[in-house]
């Protein structure tokens, strides 16, 4: 069922309430998601993006029922990733000659995925299409935000920016608009989305935000491809992106560890105690990696000024859970953050050295030699862990 957004613009996407994992199993989506597709019905009828492939037939059937597919004059594919282009094959089987407007790189990504030679019309930044009633669509390439093929489309007079992935969140809702949903959910899902998907592209994003500002386009609504449509103060999410893309950090230290027989766990809790004793204002979070969601933890590290990573020594190295998590941090290319390491050991005790090397390689400033403890921590070792925490607070 289409939902009204503004004047002759409608949402025709799909709410995916039960989605729990995205990008295969790489990204947790505790609150589901939406695949937002938009219909503009001016003198020209335009479809912007589609939905993920499992919902293709449902999408095409609904759209046909709403307007009749032959009414569509052309399709805009802002991005070739399958969660937005997945229904194109089913749609284009029904309207094979209709133009598909997209970037040059999207022709490659769409052909590469679907092996179809649709009626592609390549556009670049600044290109415009007249859709009647005094309105135009203006294209804005968003290269590497987050694929080479990404772009946004701007609708004049209604002042709507169809931003595709940028400014989105994985949040299933029937409410559609940002002012109608729980604001904590909205903020938490927005920052998680930024931290886990967009952080590697922060330098590109900063440049693009500057370009968009220079264009001086009035933006009344940001219609993203996931989650809510920003109609109430859309500048708020642009401001957040500006903050998040500038080596973001809060006054927070996050301790992430895994443990075999709870020795390293005991150290984690005492280190947290020491940080709290030394700095009354800092937020300290202690997270057992094996009992937490990695994407939620990556978000906590994104918010932190320091990440303290713990693992016992096993086979002259560290637990693979910790190694995998540091690999995730490296992929995310966080900048301007410090790191420290800790862990228990029985005999050889390499874990702290290994963590330090991996964290340095992941782009963190290793600001301490770390803290090692042989066998289970006794009273003195726990006191030493508190002192180590105090030092971390002062780093
Ligand atoms: Fe890059 Fe939502 O797809």
């Amino acid at each position: 069922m289409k939902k009204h957004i503004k004047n002759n613009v409608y949402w025709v996407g799909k709410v995916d309430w039960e989605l729990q994992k995205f990008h295969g199993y790489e990204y947790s989506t505790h609150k589901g998601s939406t695949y937002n597709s938009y219909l503009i019905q001016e003198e020209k009828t335009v479809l912007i993006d589609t939905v993920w492939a499992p919902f293709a037939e449902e999408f095409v059937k609904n759209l046909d029922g709403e307007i009749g597919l032959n009414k569509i004059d052309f399709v805009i594919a802002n991005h070739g990733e399958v969660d937005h282009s997945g229904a194109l094959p089913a749609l284009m089987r029904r309207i094979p000659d209709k133009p598909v407007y997209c970037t040059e790189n999207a022709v490659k990504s769409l052909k590469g995925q679907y092996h179809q030679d649709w009626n592609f019309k390549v556009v670049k930044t600044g290109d415009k299409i007249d859709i009647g009633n005094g309105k135009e669509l203006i294209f804005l390439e968003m290269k590497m935000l987050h694929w080479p093929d990404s772009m946004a489309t701007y609708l004049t007079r209604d002042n709507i920016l169809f931003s595709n992935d940028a400014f989105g969140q994985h949040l299933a809702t029937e409410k559609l608009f940002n002012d109608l949903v729980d604001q904590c959910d909205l903020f938490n899902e927005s920052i998680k989305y930024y931290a886990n998907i967009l952080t590697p592209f922060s330098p590109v994003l900063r440049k693009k935000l500057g370009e968009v500002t220079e264009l001086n386009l009035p933006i009344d609504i940001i219609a993203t491809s996931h989650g809510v449509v920003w109609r109430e103060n859309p500048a708020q999410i642009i401001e957040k992106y500006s903050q998040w893309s500038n080596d973001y950090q809060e006054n927070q230290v996050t301790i992430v560890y895994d443990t075999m027989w709870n020795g390293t766990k005991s150290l984690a809790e005492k280190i947290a105690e020491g940080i709290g004793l030394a700095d009354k204002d800092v937020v300290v979070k202690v997270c057992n990696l094996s009992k937490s969601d990695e994407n939620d933890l990556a978000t906590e590290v994104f918010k932190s000024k320091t990440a303290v990573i713990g693992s016992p020594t096993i086979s002259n190295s560290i637990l693979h859970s910790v190694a995998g998590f540091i690999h995730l941090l490296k992929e995310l290319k966080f900048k301007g953050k410090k790191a420290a390491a800790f862990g228990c050991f029985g005999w050889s005790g390499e874990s702290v050295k290994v963590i330090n090397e991996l964290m340095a390689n992941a782009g963190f400033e290793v600001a301490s030699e770390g803290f090692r403890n042989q066998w289970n921590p006794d009273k003195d070792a726990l006191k030493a862990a508190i002192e180590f925490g105090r030092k971390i607070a002062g780093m």
Side-chain angles (χ1 to χ4, degrees), residues 22-23 79 81 83-84 146-147 164-165 170 193 225-226:
F22 190 74
H23 283 160
H79 177 32
E81 196 163 10
D83 49 330
H84 309 298
H146 65 130
W147 273 21
N164 197 261
D165 280 333
H170 289 300
Y193 184 99
S225 58
H226 295 292

Side-chain angles (χ1 to χ4, degrees), residues 9-24:
V9 180
Y10 300 88
W11 177 94
V12 289
K14 172 69 187 177
V15 180
D16 189 350
W17 290 97
E18 66 176 28
L19 187 78
Q20 290 294 302
K21 290 284 183 181
F22 190 74
H23 283 160

Side-chain angles (χ1 to χ4, degrees), residues 180-193:
L180 301 182
V181 299
D182 182 291
Q183 297 300 294
C184 286
D185 284 350
L186 177 57
F187 175 77
N188 288 340
E189 291 302 328
S190 294
I191 195 169
K192 176 177 176 179
Y193 184 99

Side-chain angles (χ1 to χ4, degrees), residues 97-169:
D97 300 325
K98 296 293 170 84
V100 177
Y101 287 82
C102 62
T103 62
E104 193 174 3
N105 280 325
V107 175
K108 293 178 195 166
S109 62
L110 291 169
K111 280 188 177 178
Q113 292 177 102
Y114 304 116
H115 313 291
Q116 299 288 319
D117 201 11
W118 295 317
N119 181 13
F120 292 111
K121 304 284 184 195
V122 171
V123 292
K124 52 188 186 323
T125 295
D127 287 353
K128 297 176 183 178
I129 301 180
D130 187 340
I131 58 170
N133 298 326
K135 297 184 184 180
E136 288 180 321
L137 291 170
I138 304 175
F139 300 104
L140 179 64
E141 287 168 275
M142 304 274 276
K143 200 170 179 180
M144 294 320 297
L145 292 173
H146 65 130
W147 273 21
D149 66 6
S150 300
M151 73 171 183
T153 301
Y154 179 77
L155 174 60
T156 63
R157 296 193 63 184
D158 289 336
N159 302 339
I160 301 176
L161 181 70
F162 298 94
S163 62
N164 197 261
D165 280 333
F167 311 119
Q169 342 76 44

